[in-house]
Amino acid sequence: MKTRYDVIVIGGGPSGLMASIAASEHGAAVLLVDKGDKLGRKLAISGGGRCNVTNNMPIPELIRHIPGNGKFLHSAFSIFNNKDIIHFFENLGIALKEEDFGRMFPVTDSAKSVVQALLKKVQANGVEIRVNAPVDTVLYGQGGVEGVLLRNGEKIGSESVIVAVGGKSVPQTGSTGDGYAWAKKAGHTITDLYPTEVPLTSDEPFIREKVLQGLSLRDVAVSVRDPKGKVIITHRWDMLFTHFGLSGPAVLRASQFVVKALKKFKTKDVEITIDTKPDLSVEAVFQELLALAKEDPKKSVKRAWKGLVPERYLLFLLHQVDIPADLAVHELSKEKVRRMAEALKRFSVRVNGTLPIENAFITGGGVSLKEVDPKTMASKIMPGLYFCGEILDIHGYTGGYNITAAFATGYTAGRSAALSGKNTR
Ligand SMILES: Cc1cc2nc3c(=O)[nH]c(=O)nc-3n(C[C@H](O)[C@H](O)[C@H](O)COP(=O)(O)OP(=O)(O)OC[C@H]3O[C@@H](n4cnc5c(N)ncnc54)[C@H](O)[C@@H]3O)c2cc1C
């Protein structure tokens, strides 16, 4: 075991693994250190255990789906992007397949196969790996980075250190936010940290009473509204009612806007509306309800409108608008039908927060991008210091965007660290 390396990478998640590969491919002697007993622990559970490695959309779409500073990634994507990720894995023998919304998964449907392929490549490139080696801090001197100090007191020297330790979400995978202190020590700003892609909590009586717990709604439009009822953002996808609030892909995407609205408007809760008929106007839904009622006026309301939405939700909304489910449709007033149309189009739920950052898929905020060079991922403050992955103030929606950002910034950081060192080696 050497005591000095060209490049030290701290953290063996997707960004650190890719940084190690890129740095070693560009001629550097690399040490990869991780505090866990295994590398790629979060990667191994990503995408429901299938690992949504990247997304096949064109670059402008990728950037649009990274609402947390996606534009910063233009340079990194010009060096290593989603197409490069796909070729990279194909060259490692991991064929990928495309699913809905451009999401790319390994054909094996196994995140572990992705992790194993990365580990094999890291080892084949001659990267030295130390697991069970938590880093205590990064060492800085007058001229810049000098190395790392492990928690066991051991010092390892290097003029280039890449911090790839992730954010604060799901700490049992090793991402416990250790890197923020090291960045601060170098003079970096850490923007506010907050949970993103996270389930929402609500104190609505129907949530507390678990009336809809476990119910999924498919292809609905979920909107976050400001205190005046104006839409801040709408996401159309599936959603889920839980015992504490709302979840599912559309809600996860909306969650960061709830966090920001709660802060901005200093309110105790925010309105979310659910539109189960996003392609129709209220008037069109009203006419559809009337037409269905006319087909057989003796039918009960719940039978006449069966299939419009899942039965549990239909019964729930009927109760909300005060229509007895067993009422014969000919007994319904037009006003009641209109109220039901409105409920189908805009059911309002007040949400008062999110699960904690530890339970979020992604950490929002991080190392301020103003102080990082987008072409190299190098610190603009401390020579020899690099950042990549979720520790940066970058966050994307679920759908492969975060791992793509981690690979792209990781590759860019590894390559730049190796190339910058070549002048001095
Ligand atoms: C359940 C779940 C599913 C997800 N699914 C997807 C998905 O399918 N697609 C997608 O794009 N994104 C997904 N994400 C997000 C994605 O996994 C992360 O954004 C990504 O893993 C971040 O990569 P990273 O390399 O920055 O950090 P991490 O993967 O968090 O890795 C950080 C590494 O640093 C190590 N480390 C931390 N502190 C120290 C220290 N002091 N010393 C040494 N080592 C240290 C840790 O042990 C860890 O190995 C998912 C997230 C979660 C929680």
Side-chain angles (χ1 to χ4, degrees):
M1 196 70 63
K2 293 192 282 190
T3 55
R4 196 158 187 89
Y5 293 82
D6 297 333
V7 176
I8 297 176
V9 179
I10 315 173
S15 69
L17 287 163
M18 195 54 89
S20 306
I21 291 166
S24 51
E25 267 174 4
H26 287 85
V30 182
L31 172 70
L32 170 59
V33 279
D34 199 290
K35 69 175 170 191
D37 55 353
K38 279 192 205 129
L39 302 179
R41 281 182 291 166
K42 191 174 275 183
L43 199 56
I45 58 161
S46 67
R50 298 198 301 132
C51 188
N52 183 189
V53 247
T54 189
N55 193 293
N56 205 16
M57 290 198 190
I59 303 283
E61 278 303 297
L62 281 188
I63 288 176
R64 212 172 59 76
H65 285 82
I66 305 179
N69 298 315
K71 287 189 185 138
F72 179 82
L73 294 170
H74 271 294
S75 297
F77 283 159
S78 72
I79 296 166
F80 196 74
N81 59 38
N82 51 348
K83 304 289 174 205
D84 297 309
I85 295 170
I86 294 167
H87 291 145
F88 172 84
F89 280 105
E90 276 170 0
N91 286 337
L92 296 184
I94 299 287
L96 304 181
K97 57 175 173 174
E98 184 170 341
E99 297 194 356
D100 55 351
F101 306 103
R103 296 182 305 152
M104 301 296 294
F105 290 88
V107 169
T108 54
D109 275 332
S110 155
K112 289 207 174 102
S113 68
V114 171
V115 176
Q116 275 158 9
L118 282 163
L119 292 184
K120 234 170 120 184
K121 178 71 178 159
V122 167
Q123 282 158 353
N125 279 14
V127 172
E128 272 188 46
I129 300 172
R130 287 186 67 174
V131 288
N132 295 313
V135 169
D136 184 53
T137 192
V138 180
L139 302 168
Y140 307 117
Q142 291 294 323
V145 162
E146 292 188 338
V148 301
L149 173 67
L150 300 188
R151 262 184 224 156
N152 66 6
E154 192 182 339
K155 284 184 188 170
I156 312 172
S158 180
E159 282 173 18
S160 298
V161 168
I162 301 176
V163 180
V165 293
K168 287 187 87 167
S169 307
V170 193
Q172 57 273 31
T173 60
S175 336
T176 45
D178 299 4
Y180 303 121
W182 312 334
K184 270 193 194 159
K185 195 172 89 167
H188 279 273
T189 312
I190 307 301
T191 61
D192 280 352
L193 303 176
Y194 57 92
T196 77
E197 304 299 300
V198 63
L200 299 173
T201 54
S202 170
D203 201 30
E204 292 274 9
F206 78 91
I207 295 285
R208 266 190 280 123
E209 288 155 20
K210 303 181 176 49
V211 177
L212 294 176
Q213 183 183 348
L215 175 70
S216 307
L217 297 177
R218 305 264 171 239
D219 192 22
V220 293
V222 173
S223 300
V224 182
R225 292 176 186 266
D226 73 9
K228 289 187 176 149
K230 197 165 158 251
V231 171
I232 298 171
I233 188 96
T234 299
H235 279 295
R236 186 167 169 176
W237 207 344
D238 304 340
M239 65 157 287
L240 172 73
F241 293 95
T242 68
H243 61 288
F244 54 78
L246 309 176
S247 191
V251 169
L252 294 179
R253 286 193 170 192
S255 61
Q256 63 180 287
F257 300 93
V258 170
V259 173
K260 287 175 190 157
L262 283 168
K263 199 170 167 198
K264 180 173 173 190
F265 302 114
K266 296 187 175 64
T267 48
K268 69 173 186 13
D269 55 21
V270 167
E271 184 188 17
I272 289 267
T273 53
I274 302 164
D275 179 354
T276 54
K277 300 284 163 197
D279 295 322
L280 301 177
S281 63
V282 175
E283 183 58 28
V285 176
F286 172 64
Q287 293 301 337
E288 189 182 344
L289 292 178
L290 281 182
L292 287 169
K294 272 187 196 140
E295 274 175 18
D296 183 353
K298 285 195 200 118
K299 256 192 189 168
S300 66
V301 172
K302 71 174 179 210
R303 286 188 54 222
W305 292 342
K306 192 175 172 193
L308 276 177
V309 286
E311 188 174 13
R312 245 174 109 191
Y313 196 57
L314 178 70
L315 295 177
F316 171 76
L317 288 185
L318 286 173
H319 184 69
Q320 295 292 313
V321 298
D322 210 13
I323 299 178
D326 291 320
L327 192 76
V329 277
H330 69 87
E331 290 180 66
L332 268 176
S333 68
K334 278 203 174 160
E335 187 231 319
K336 280 279 168 74
V337 178
R338 189 167 290 282
R339 281 192 61 198
M340 184 62 182
E342 282 162 0
L344 285 163
K345 282 291 294 171
R346 184 175 167 166
F347 179 67
S348 170
V349 186
R350 306 233 38 118
V351 291
N352 56 11
T354 71
L355 291 188
I357 197 162
E358 289 74 17
N359 296 50
F361 279 91
I362 313 290
T363 300
V367 174
S368 170
L369 301 178
K370 288 188 192 132
E371 299 153 1
V372 177
D373 178 352
K375 294 195 183 81
T376 59
M377 299 300 141
S379 160
K380 289 182 184 170
I381 299 173
M382 181 62 69
L385 182 64
Y386 297 80
F387 298 100
C388 56
E390 208 175 305
I391 188 171
L392 289 164
D393 182 7
I394 296 174
H395 62 88
Y397 292 135
T398 52
Y401 305 103
N402 291 291
I403 291 179
T404 302
F407 281 146
T409 54
Y411 188 92
T412 305
R415 174 183 179 263
S416 334
L419 294 179
S420 77
K422 272 199 174 155
N423 306 326
T424 52
R425 283 202 290 274

